[in-house]
Structure formats: structure tokens, C-alpha cells
Amino acid sequence: MSPHEHNSARPQARQDGRERAAVPLPRRRFLHLGTAGAVAAALPLTAAGSAFAAAPGTGRALAAPAAFGPEPPLMHGYSGPQVKAWSPETDRHARYLRSRVPLAPRIAPFAPTQAHPGLDPRPRLMVLANDYVQPGWETEGYPYGPVAEAYALRFWQYADLYASWHGLPLDGRHDVEEPPYGFINVPNPGYTDAAHRNGVRSLGCWFWPRPEDFAEIVEKTPQGTFPVADKLIEMAGYFGFDGYFINQEAVIPVEQAEALMEMLTYLARTAPEGFHVQWYDSLTVDGGIDYQNEFNAVNSPWVVGSDGQRISTSIFLNYWWNDAKVKASREHALSHGLDPFEAVYTGQEIGKYQFGQPYDPAAIFPEGGEPRTSWAFLGSEMVWATVTGDKSTIAAQAPAYTRERQLWSGPAQDPSRSGRTHEPDTGKPLDPGGWDGTAHHIVEKSPIGRLPFVTRFCTGTGERFFIDGEQAGDRPWFDIGVQDLLPTWQWWVRDGDGAPSDAVRVDYDHTDAYDGGSSLRLTGSLKPGESAGVRLYKTALTLTPTTSLGLVHRRSGGAAELTVGLVFADDPTGTTWLTVEDAAGPGWTRWTRGLGRWAGRTVAAIGVGLTAGAHGAQDLAVNLGELRLTADERERAPRTPAGFTVDRVVRAADVASVYLGWEFAPRGVAHYDLFRRTPDGGREWLGRTFDGAYCVPSLALGAESGTARLELEAVSPTGRRSEPAHTRLTW
């Protein structure tokens, strides 16, 4: 499939209507306290062999670094008896491991703004991967933590389903040399938060074999119910995820296989709408293991019964397919009245073969023909795990995120220029030239369909934390749960004639941010009169008479005219460029512009541009700290949170894990921020969440004379802050 280019117009300054004056932003006072410890070496790559030969949770569990505190909230696995007895009241840390971010709806496909306008939007993508790939231990059980060395996925726009591919030890067994693992692990709530914010369903994982009696799993009551199935639904509802990926990969007696099918049928019948169960191509109906590598009469009974009853939502096909098998999979789905894109996901071993795939995606997406099925990845976290050496700093992680852009956007790291440069070479698995890029086959998707839309370009990791342009904390951290909506296209840059341009480079800057841990940085040089446009977000935002556009930015390099470009759905080949006026001074500047003159029109894409004057622009450096479109700037600040209390403290010497709770009132709230007040009147940022509970994993004893004063603020989507709620921690 050949890439298709947009014919982008040159970014030009337009003065349509009255500009609002740009003003310098106010400063806040914070105290910066650093307490993070050192981290260990990076994890080695866990590559899958044939089928799922590298089973999740088969490695040795190790303790987390001391920086995590004496008892941070820790996820764990569940055995059959534990699932049947499960209750949030008795599940340790359950209250602190929930995702409360609702699943965002995605906007309808709109071909004119796609990186490849001719790409079919029907194929979907399942991503089965490790989550944070944290350093030095093999238990990915932390939703957030006080180190920077943790992988946070930056490409949600291509996925439709996500599941954490790792096992977890049973509760209290993490430090055992060879711990027992549960057959169920719920997805990391931080990843579920990020997935839902982007409109991606998050799935828990079922893995078998485990060292317990499978009869316990498929037990049926005299009333015809299945206790494990009922609890799996209850757990998903409580923890806030959307279903399960089921990897049943060990021989079981035929009667247990029959009971499993009956249980899955019961699950499909009783689960809420939208609950997704994905079956892996392994177990046969008689309890044997036989990978089909296609959708056929052997494995389709696990998806749809002979009576048409749906048993699983979809199937993840094993990897040893070819053109004929993928074609047959599509035909078999159609013969059962199934949508092959909704029901069939053809698997690709990204972790094992990386960019040198022996099974060509062209079998799924034949050039010049109609796509055949959806797609599935195993091990996309290889972009992080295959980068060896120190990754303890954000700067040292750059090669991993370059590799990530190659995986998703293609070897040119531009989704509009995806496509391999040569045929894959299995002997050179890390050569990206043999890989098309995910964007070559899967249409980019977006949840940005209603106002307000606000992003601060926070990636979910950092070495310090910023609020309103001021540093609020100087300890490293990771929490993908607070990741912003990141640019749809990474990176789509064009010159004034619409041709690809390398004059301006785009990346995240973790040394400076307006809110969170990162901003978006544009650097480069432009010749006299030269311009470059960066397309950022796919949207479907209908403007109102009160809609305004806002950009927070700062300059630290050469001068060029900065513009914001709007692509309207009724004129998708053109771009309306609005000049951003700068305020004097080196700090962050907020520029706003009313868009009422375009009321009733729909913005289909948003970008930014730089244009040099008559003398050119050398050594450009512009940071974007916030981009927003809001319907009404008079948004009210949230109410002060109620019921803010210290629930529990676990102390070790002068460090404590502090469990906090409050009344969760999500209406009008984007997140909550936690602080510690310092004796001199400053504040230290402690954490951010969209929930009514949070654990500060490692709070150090400061100079508070035995009492720490804690504050909690509710923050609106546009950044309005409530008056703080207060509580005290007595050491």
C-alpha cells in the first residue's frame, strides 16, 4: 500500500477578527524536595517463542527498589478459590488500584485528515504487552512510583484493545524466590486510565496452566451459575476494566473443556454490554492443544456456538499464518455471519521478531485489495526492552522512544510516510527498514469529539513535576494514569509546499513543562521565508459562538512567527492559520483567540506552524505547554473535596507509605492533586489521580516537627482549582 500525502497549504499568518492580548502567566510558590533512590539495571527482553511459550509469571519475583517506600499499593494475581471468594473489602489495596476514568467514545473516521486517506478504517488492533517494564524486578504490579525508569506507551491512537501480558504472584508472595502466580491478573489501573482516556478497551488476563485444580475454575452450582464467571464480571466492574484475554494453553480433560465452554457462554450472556472476551487460538473443544493459525472449524466453536450463541467476542490467532490461512479466516468468519474485523485478530509476534517479521502483514492487508481481518500484537514493549544500558534518566531513554515511533509510525518516524524501505530481514530484527509501521495498515483514531479539549503534552513519566509553569516537585516519577491525550500524529511535518520537511523537529521535553512532566518542543532552523507545519491532533470539534482557542508557549531560541492551524471538515484540503502573539519575557505565555466567527463549523485537525522572516530563523526552540479549545472560559472551579483523611500509615524509619481517602465527586473534575505544606509556606507535589483514594508511596519525614500538613485540590479540565482540603499526618 502506497503512502498518500496531504496537499498542505503553507502556514501563513492571518488576522481574521480581533486578537486577545497575550499575557505572561502568574507564578506559584512551591518547595522542591527530592527523596528518590537509585534504580537497578533494566529488565532483559522477555521474548515469546512458539505460541505463548514464554508464559507470563514464570520468572522469579524480586523486591522493588527502596525508593518505593515500605508498603506501596501492589497488584497481585488471583487463584481460583481467591476469585470465588473475592471482595473489595478483603482484597488488600483494592481501593487504591482502581481505574475510574470512563471509556471515551471515539470520533467517526474522516478519510481526508488521515495520514493515508485511502486506508480502510475497519481493521482493529489488539495490543498484548507488558506494561511499565520496570527495572530490576519482574513484577509489574505498581500503578505509579517514584522512579523515572518505566515505559509509558505513547501510541494509543492505533489500538482498540489493550491487555497487560504478565502474571502476578499471589498476594503476599512477591518476595518468595519462586512464587505461586494467579491464573488471573487484572490490568494495571494506570494503563487502564490511559487506555480509556484514548477510547481503548482494557482487558484483564487469564493464563493457564497454573499449579491448581482447573475443576475449581469451571465449577457450576446447582442453580446453573458459575461462581468464577460471576466474580470475573464483578472484579472488572470494581477495578474499572472491560473484559478478559483468555489464554488457555494446557491440556485439560474433555469434561473440563466442555464445562469451560459452558462457563464462557454463561459469561457472555450475563456480562454487561461492551464486555469483551478474547479467546486465544490454542485449546480444542476436547481439551487438547492445537494451534490452528487461522480461524476455522476447530477453533470457531470458542467464538460462536452451533445455535449462533456468541461465546467469545473475538479470537487472537496464533502466529504461523500465511496468505491462504488469513484469507480462509476471513471467509470462515463470514460463513458464520461474523464481521471478520470485529471477531478475528491475526497475531504478530512483535516481541520475538521485532522489525524482522517472517510473517508478512501483507497477508492481512493485501496491497491493492480489501483488508481481511483485524490485527494483534504480542510484545510491543520490545521497543523499551531491546534498548540495553542505563535508562534511569529520561534523556537515556531516547533510543527506546525512537524505536517506539518506528514501530508505530514507520521507519521514517512519520505516519504519513510509513512503509518499509526494504524487505524484512529476520537476521536483523532491530532494523526498522523492514517494517511498514503500524500506521501503514491501521487508521489513527481519536476521542477528541467534544469541548473542552485540553492537553498539556504530559507523557506519564518525568524527573520533576510542574504546575502552572512552576516546578512543584523534583523527584522522578512514573504514572501513565495521568498521561494527557498525546498528538495523533508523531511526527507529521510539512514545509510550505506540503512536502516532508526536516527543518523542524518535534519531541517531548521533560526538562520543562507547564503542567505535568513534559511539554512539546519544536526545534530547528528555517531559511528566509521558509515555513514548516506540524499536524498534531485529529478532532471533530464543532465550534460555538463562545469557543476560544488557547496556547501556552515559551521561546528559548531564534525568532519565527508561531501559528496555530485549523483544518475544517467542510474544507479539509485547506488550513486556517492564526498568528500567536508573544508577550515580553522568557516565561510561559498564554495566548487566546475567540473562534466565534467560525461557529457551526467543525474542526477536523489541529496543528502548529513556524514561519521565518526575511532573514531566516536559526536555532529555533519553542515549547508548547498547553493547547486548548474551550466552549466557555467562565468555567467554575470545582468544590473543595470533602472527607479528606489519612486512612493508614506504614512507616519504616523516616519514610512512610501514606494511604489517603476522600469523597470522589468526578463531575467537573479532571483530576485531584496532592501536596505537602512546608514550614516556610511552600508546597511539595505528592501525586495526582482521578479517584477518591491515593497512596503516597514514600513520604519522607521533613521539618514539620512531627506533623505533616497535607492538602488536596480538585482540578477542572481547564485547570481551575478548588480551595484545598486539609488533613494532618502525625509521625
Side-chain angles (χ1 to χ4, degrees), residues 267-290:
L267 183 66
R269 188 172 64 248
T270 57
E273 184 178 359
F275 194 87
H276 197 109
V277 173
Q278 186 166 87
W279 177 261
Y280 173 57
D281 169 25
S282 55
L283 192 76
T284 60
V285 294
D286 61 0
I289 297 295
D290 191 357

Side-chain angles (χ1 to χ4, degrees), residues 118-257:
L119 203 57
D120 193 321
R122 293 176 298 167
R124 307 176 190 183
L125 181 67
M126 159 61 155
V127 178
L128 185 63
N130 275 264
D131 38 56
Y132 286 119
V133 199
Q134 297 157 338
W137 68 99
E138 297 176 10
T139 303
E140 293 88 344
Y142 297 91
Y144 48 81
V147 297
E149 189 174 354
Y151 173 57
L153 176 66
R154 298 177 180 180
F155 285 81
W156 293 99
Q157 61 270 43
Y158 301 105
D160 296 273
L161 301 168
Y162 182 91
S164 310
W165 178 242
H166 57 70
L168 289 171
L170 300 179
D171 191 22
R173 308 300 297 275
H174 291 76
D175 293 330
V176 177
E177 186 168 335
E178 294 293 341
Y181 281 73
F183 91 100
I184 290 291
N185 67 267
V186 303
N188 192 299
Y191 263 71
T192 300
D193 281 349
H196 280 183
R197 196 170 287 118
N198 285 274
V200 178
R201 280 187 164 83
S202 176
L203 306 185
C205 243
W206 161 315
F207 180 82
W208 194 268
R210 291 296 190 219
E212 56 179 296
D213 184 3
F214 191 71
E216 187 92 36
I217 311 299
V218 293
E219 177 194 358
K220 182 179 180 180
T221 68
Q223 294 75 33
T225 66
F226 289 84
V228 164
D230 289 336
K231 285 295 183 178
L232 291 181
I233 296 171
E234 185 183 352
M235 291 171 73
Y238 180 84
F239 287 112
F241 59 95
D242 308 291
Y244 295 87
F245 172 80
I246 299 183
N247 184 189
Q248 185 70 20
E249 205 167 3
V251 173
I252 56 176
V254 63
E255 61 271 15
Q256 291 184 359

Side-chain angles (χ1 to χ4, degrees), residues 533-537 563-567 575 577 605-609 627:
V534 182
R535 188 162 292 196
L536 293 176
Y537 287 96
T563 55
V564 177
L566 304 179
V567 177
T575 303
W577 294 98
I606 305 172
V608 294
L627 175 66

Side-chain angles (χ1 to χ4, degrees), residues 492-504:
W492 184 354
V493 184
R494 292 293 184 270
D495 65 16
D497 297 321
S501 173
D502 295 321
V504 169

Side-chain angles (χ1 to χ4, degrees), residues 2 7 9 61-62 71 156 190 349 377 441 477 543 561 574 593 638 640 682 688 704:
S2 300
N7 184 17
L62 303 173
E71 191 181 309
W156 293 99
E349 287 185 288
F377 288 174
H441 305 295
W477 61 275
L543 304 182
E561 183 180 68
R593 166 69 187 273
T640 302
R688 173 172 288 182
E704 302 97 339

